[in-house]
Amino acid sequence: MSRFKFAIVVDGDVAGTVALEDGQSPIIDRIIAAYQSNPTIIPIADETIAFGWTYDGANFYPPTSSLE
């Protein structure tokens, strides 16, 4: 297992750090991949928004079924 440490940067200043170990679970591996991809963090109030949803810069959309 590898340890990954990330700096949370806001307007050029380090606001905090997060350390994660890969291989702990598929969810942790997904979070590490997301953090390595320069994510945008958006506060949400809707508890139903989760993995698989999309965001167009203004609105969130649930996953669509490929059977439609």
Side-chain angles (χ1 to χ4, degrees), residues 6-56:
F6 300 92
I8 300 166
V9 179
V10 179
D11 295 329
D13 296 322
V14 175
T17 61
V18 175
L20 301 168
E21 301 241 356
D22 71 342
Q24 293 176 342
S25 76
I27 293 170
I28 295 295
D29 291 343
R30 207 164 55 214
I31 291 169
I32 289 170
Y35 282 6
Q36 291 174 322
S37 300
N38 194 22
T40 300
I41 309 300
I42 302 163
I44 59 172
D46 185 341
E47 297 285 330
T48 63
I49 296 171
F51 179 73
W53 284 59
T54 56
Y55 180 69
D56 67 3

